[in-house]
Amino acid sequence: MTILVRPIRYEEESEELLSFLRSNLPELPHECRFSWRYHANPDGPACSWLARETAKGRIIGVTSVFPRAMWIGHRVKMCSQVGDFVISKSHRSLGPAVLLQRATFDPVDQDKFSLCYDCPPHPAGMSTFRRLGMQPSCTVHRYALPLRVDRHIDKLLGFPAPLPAAAANLLLRAHRRISFPAQPGDLDVCEYVGRFGDEFTELDEAVKNPNAIRCRRNAEQLNWRYREDPLQQFHVLTARRKGELIAFLVCTVSADAVFIVDIFGKEIFTAAIALIGRIVEQHEKSQHTIEAFLSDGNALLGPILKAGFRHRSMGAQIVAYAKLGGETSAFIEGKPTWALQQIDIRA
């Protein structure tokens, strides 16, 4: 069987793409997210490819790359992240997957992007990259801080036990009060409800690491990510000293957990401790855990572990592709730190 892979013509094939995504990724409300995700990104529109059995045959797979401006050392370069990579059940073999994966490299080879990266969440997702002879650049891990132990007590005893659970929760909170680092008195932590402004762009430009790769966090990107997302509501906290923005934290809240999707700023150890401390105060009586995803070597690992988070599982492996012999490829070969969090691996 001949499989043909080519770029999608959005004007003619958007409905066909949406239909394929609905059938093969039914857990996502594609109609709600499509315009925002594929066309409204301030870093640029998505690039997508489809795989067909023949030139006019049915679609058997699709993939896309979504532009992401990233700091590569001291310079901002336009990069991309692979997402919505889907193969139909009838064709889930390495052949179509390898063809689609290779297509995501084309814009890099054509110098449209400096690099593209993918985030396989489990070892099986690495099979395509192993076929292509590629290894992960880093690993992102999931960390959790327990706030309540009701479910553990009930599971241990085999039946609901509200009184023992309440006593255990009280002891857990008392332990946190003793062990949790004190918040600096000169930092003002408060909720931020407006749109992101120039001070966030200035903070992004002030935080540079000559040996790190991270996604840009200017005001335009933050507003698109956190204020215009049609599917999720994000809560934002800021840390300020004498009115100056030092750092911020972004999280989502589910029925039983808080997910820290982004922490960023200057004096990050001190600021992160203060921001996490406020999240604990707000949610320790209602949610069971706080979770965060961090890459190997991330500067946030220090404050996260100091606050009592513990490693729980692998979150994703990061596989990056850059044009061989180019400046970005040489930078990656130097083994830089990938400063990635949950927001950076969300497809």
Side-chain angles (χ1 to χ4, degrees):
M1 179 189 301
T2 300
I3 297 174
L4 303 177
V5 174
R6 64 164 175 81
I8 285 178
R9 297 186 291 267
Y10 285 115
E11 299 82 0
E12 305 168 20
E13 297 170 326
S14 287
E15 285 304 317
E16 196 173 7
L17 169 60
L18 275 169
S19 177
F20 186 82
L21 291 173
R22 281 194 296 265
S23 299
N24 292 274
L25 288 176
E27 66 274 13
L28 290 174
H30 295 285
E31 289 83 355
C32 294
R33 74 192 278 267
F34 187 79
S35 178
W36 171 79
R37 186 68 172 134
Y38 280 74
H39 302 301
N41 181 354
D43 286 338
C47 301
S48 304
W49 296 263
L50 54 79
R52 294 185 186 273
E53 292 177 318
T54 62
K56 295 184 178 181
R58 65 190 178 107
I59 296 178
I60 62 169
V62 298
T63 190
S64 298
V65 294
F66 302 96
R68 302 203 74 164
M70 303 182 77
W71 285 95
I72 311 293
H74 283 312
R75 295 177 57 192
V76 173
K77 296 185 179 183
M78 193 56 66
C79 304
S80 62
Q81 179 185 1
V82 179
D84 287 356
F85 192 112
V86 190
I87 306 289
S88 64
K89 290 183 179 179
S90 59
H91 290 77
R92 285 183 185 168
S93 62
L94 277 181
V98 168
L99 290 174
L100 281 170
Q101 198 76 61
R102 281 179 173 155
T104 67
F105 303 158
D106 289 346
V108 178
D109 291 333
Q110 297 163 10
D111 296 319
K112 182 175 181 178
F113 300 123
S114 291
L115 67 82
C116 72
Y117 70 97
D118 203 348
C119 310
H122 45 70
M126 284 296 300
S127 57
T128 302
F129 295 106
R130 284 194 291 269
R131 173 67 67 87
L132 293 169
M134 301 174 68
Q135 298 295 323
S137 296
C138 75
T139 303
V140 176
H141 300 274
R142 181 175 70 93
Y143 298 84
L145 173 68
L147 298 179
R148 299 171 60 87
V149 293
D150 306 53
R151 291 178 298 188
H152 298 290
I153 296 294
D154 294 350
K155 184 177 180 180
L156 181 65
L157 296 178
F159 56 85
L163 289 179
N169 288 333
L170 189 62
L171 287 173
L172 184 61
R173 286 198 295 272
H175 174 72
R176 270 199 306 273
R177 296 289 187 274
I178 296 171
S179 60
F180 203 91
Q183 176 178 325
D186 62 343
L187 275 186
D188 178 28
V189 175
C190 62
E191 186 176 0
Y192 187 82
V193 296
R195 289 180 66 81
F196 297 88
D198 291 343
E199 62 179 343
F200 291 89
T201 299
E202 293 167 3
L203 182 63
D204 174 69
E205 293 173 351
V207 180
K208 297 177 182 178
N209 184 332
N211 192 44
I213 297 175
R214 68 166 177 84
C215 293
R216 185 170 65 179
R217 286 164 170 81
N218 63 0
E220 192 176 20
Q221 183 65 211
L222 294 175
N223 282 317
W224 176 73
R225 279 268 173 195
Y226 300 130
R227 298 308 190 203
E228 298 166 12
D229 187 328
L231 302 183
Q232 290 197 77
Q233 181 179 5
F234 295 92
H235 303 274
V236 182
L237 294 176
T238 56
R240 299 177 184 273
R241 180 181 293 112
K242 297 180 180 179
E244 179 191 357
L245 179 67
I246 301 298
F248 63 87
L249 178 151
V250 183
C251 67
T252 61
V253 181
S254 71
D256 59 1
V258 179
F259 298 92
I260 296 175
V261 299
D262 200 355
I263 306 179
F264 181 76
K266 298 183 287 189
E267 304 173 36
I268 197 60
F269 191 100
T270 301
I273 289 290
L275 290 162
I276 294 168
R278 181 60 57 87
I279 292 294
V280 170
E281 291 175 7
Q282 292 176 340
H283 299 284
E284 65 181 355
K285 294 183 180 180
S286 55
Q287 268 66 41
H288 286 84
T289 60
I290 302 176
E291 296 194 5
F293 290 75
L294 297 175
S295 53
D296 298 324
N298 197 308
L300 288 163
L301 279 172
I304 283 283
L305 296 176
K306 184 70 173 178
F309 285 74
R310 293 294 178 264
H311 182 267
R312 289 292 180 263
S313 64
M314 185 189 78
Q317 291 181 289
I318 308 303
V319 187
Y321 175 80
K323 191 173 182 179
L324 189 63
E327 183 180 67
T328 301
S329 176
F331 190 87
I332 293 174
E333 289 172 4
K335 305 296 182 182
T337 297
W338 287 76
L340 303 181
Q341 302 179 57
Q342 185 177 1
I343 193 62
D344 305 311
I345 65 173
R346 290 177 64 221

